[in-house]
Amino acid sequence: MITIKRVYKPVNEADGKRVLVDRLWPRGISKEKAKIDEWMKDIAPSNELRKWFNHDPEKFEEFSQKYKEELKEPEKKKELDKLIEMSDGNTVTLVYSAKDEEHNQAVVLKHYLEE
């Protein structure tokens, strides 16, 4: 099972493996407090796409399409396979730092993995 959660929300056992899917480490949170099991920054959107999107909800649909295209790149496939393997019979929580809980890369990545 794959879930998503903002890094600033309290950690609990139901999170299972916590995988940070941001390219940059979240501001203001220590590694100890974040309790991240794995940081997959290579699976995050490219710097160019991340900067272009700038968490603008009006760009979310186009961002989703562009990010899904990036996820087809060979170097990202290894990370995707690893996530799928981790989630086989286990809970994996995709952790992100964006304030907007509906319009972010973790939402897109979760849907992509479920397809």
Side-chain angles (χ1 to χ4, degrees), residues 4 6 9 96 98-104 107:
I4 59 174
R6 194 160 184 251
K9 292 199 172 189
Y96 64 94
K99 290 179 184 173
D100 188 334
E101 296 185 19
E102 295 177 27
H103 305 98
N104 63 67
V107 171

Side-chain angles (χ1 to χ4, degrees), residues 73-88:
E73 296 170 4
E75 62 273 5
K76 294 194 190 288
K77 181 164 179 10
K78 290 179 187 176
E79 299 290 312
L80 290 168
D81 290 344
K82 191 172 183 179
L83 274 175
I84 291 167
E85 186 177 313
M86 272 193 247
S87 68
D88 187 21

